[in-house]
Amino acid sequence: MDGLRVTPGPGAPRGLTVPAGDLVERFSRSSSPGGQHVNTADSRVQLSIDLGTTTALDEVQRERALRTLAPKLSGTVLTVSVEENRSQRRNRATARRRLGELLRDAVAPPVARRATRPTRGSQRRRVQHERRRAEIKRNRRRPDHD
């Protein structure tokens, strides 16, 4: 197995190269389609990487990845499991692609929210709506005895 090349993106302008030693592949029987031989082939692929120890990430990228991927992690290990295809080779390729996409998206810096103001039209509509509601509620009151 060779290393994983992650395409460039925000947070990793030159991309990432994950050494083969940092990746762990496990194979098991899949519950996916396969017909007569479904129980004999180990076509499910689980591809794992320990984000805490990998040499592919610098400290800033590591912190971002650990924070972003926290719900998907077991400790600091990220695992991608694929069993879509009957072919182990295709599942391996899909797992590598998904892991690369997850890493590329995880190291991207968060997008800062730019404050915006409501438009004049939306402010006018809001005030008109408030006035209409106030009028409806005023009409529900008991009439005055003058």
Side-chain angles (χ1 to χ4, degrees):
M1 174 176 68
D2 52 339
L4 175 65
R5 178 78 181 128
V6 180
T7 57
R14 289 185 290 280
L16 299 171
T17 303
V18 180
D22 290 352
L23 297 172
V24 177
E25 268 186 330
R26 284 186 301 278
F27 306 100
S28 59
R29 296 215 170 120
S30 173
S31 62
S32 65
Q36 183 177 2
H37 303 290
V38 72
N39 292 326
T40 61
D42 289 341
S43 59
R44 175 190 295 147
V45 176
Q46 290 181 316
L47 184 62
S48 301
I49 182 172
D50 188 349
L51 298 177
T53 61
T54 185
T55 58
L57 303 174
D58 62 28
E59 287 309 311
V60 173
Q61 292 170 334
R62 185 181 326 278
E63 181 186 323
R64 280 185 195 149
L66 288 172
R67 189 174 351 112
T68 305
L69 297 172
K72 298 178 188 238
L73 296 178
S74 174
T76 59
V77 178
L78 174 64
T79 301
V80 175
S81 183
V82 178
E83 56 179 327
E84 295 173 354
N85 302 299
R86 295 179 188 184
S87 163
Q88 185 186 86
R89 184 176 48 80
R90 283 190 200 151
N91 284 337
R92 286 178 79 184
T94 303
R96 294 171 76 79
R97 189 186 77 248
R98 282 192 195 161
L99 184 65
E101 290 171 358
L102 280 172
L103 287 175
R104 185 182 63 237
D105 294 343
V107 298
V111 177
R113 182 189 179 280
R114 292 172 49 188
T116 59
R117 294 182 58 200
T119 63
R120 190 174 293 143
S122 69
Q123 289 176 347
R124 194 176 321 119
R125 286 188 298 273
R126 179 180 57 80
V127 170
Q128 286 174 349
H129 177 71
E130 289 174 4
R131 286 185 182 145
R132 264 189 308 242
R133 292 293 300 165
E135 181 65 28
I136 289 170
K137 291 183 177 195
R138 217 178 356 258
N139 291 336
R140 289 180 187 160
R141 290 185 188 158
R142 181 172 289 170
D144 291 336
H145 295 298
D146 287 338

